[in-house]
Amino acid sequence: PVGVTGGTGLVNNIPAMEVNLTSSQVLTHDTWMRIDFNNVVYSNPAGLYTTGNNNGFFPEVAGKYWISCGVHFQNSGNNLRQCVLNLAIGNGSSENHSMTLDNVPHTITYSRMYNNYSAIVELSATEKLQVFALAYSSASGTFNASGQTQSSTHFSAFRIGV
């Protein structure tokens, strides 16, 4: 099978992928929004992450996966109070379960915040992973998930076990 080395039972971390956001994505205040990563940095095998309307990571092989996602939030004012990430795990047409990754509001406000999260999840071959973000502020303003640098807003996953 894909990802298994001969006879030892060790997994060689395939499937694996990394994607990022190369330009900023506008977010709506106090609304969960899917992060539409638009740049595939690495995919083995090819095609594990789809972009566009059906974006997400499709593992193709069941097993345990290490995942990491991070979003660099920016606000045109100095009024960001809370930035939350959610990893949605579904079968491509509906969400089976999700993990909310930070839900603590801050008492002071910022113009930039960064949330990064890593976890180990068990996936079937047909499930899909997507990253959602929520930004909350003390006042109105423009919110963005930043794509300023390659690692500003990113998502990666690789198989670590059966």
Side-chain angles (χ1 to χ4, degrees):
V2 173
V4 177
T5 58
T8 66
L10 298 176
V11 175
N12 66 9
N13 304 120
I14 295 173
M17 70 89 200
E18 179 184 1
V19 294
N20 62 28
L21 193 62
T22 59
S23 59
S24 293
Q25 177 182 333
V26 175
L27 303 175
T28 302
H29 165 72
D30 201 20
T31 303
W32 283 107
M33 300 198 62
R34 183 185 69 209
I35 301 298
D36 295 325
F37 299 98
N38 62 342
N39 181 51
V40 177
V41 177
Y42 176 81
S43 182
N44 185 4
L48 293 175
Y49 188 88
T50 59
T51 57
N53 290 336
N54 193 32
N55 86 3
F57 168 60
F58 295 86
E60 298 179 351
V61 177
K64 289 182 174 58
Y65 285 78
W66 177 85
I67 60 99
S68 174
C69 55
V71 175
H72 181 190
F73 295 88
Q74 292 184 324
N75 178 249
S76 60
N78 191 28
N79 51 25
L80 275 172
R81 281 202 184 271
Q82 182 179 17
C83 297
V84 186
L85 297 180
N86 181 278
L87 183 67
I89 304 170
N91 62 12
S93 60
S94 64
E95 183 181 308
N96 296 339
H97 50 281
S98 66
M99 298 181 292
T100 300
L101 311 176
D102 175 30
N103 202 20
V104 180
H106 298 279
T107 56
I108 57 176
T109 58
Y110 302 91
S111 62
R112 297 170 185 242
M113 286 183 169
Y114 185 77
N115 256 2
N116 192 36
Y117 185 77
S118 297
I120 295 172
V121 296
E122 190 155 353
L123 301 172
S124 74
T126 59
E127 287 185 300
K128 172 172 76 170
L129 290 176
Q130 293 179 304
V131 176
F132 286 79
L134 176 135
Y136 177 77
S137 76
S138 59
S140 62
T142 302
F143 298 93
N144 292 302
S146 174
Q148 285 184 340
T149 65
Q150 184 174 4
S151 60
S152 288
T153 299
H154 65 90
F155 178 32
S156 58
F158 60 86
R159 187 167 177 245
I160 60 170
V162 291

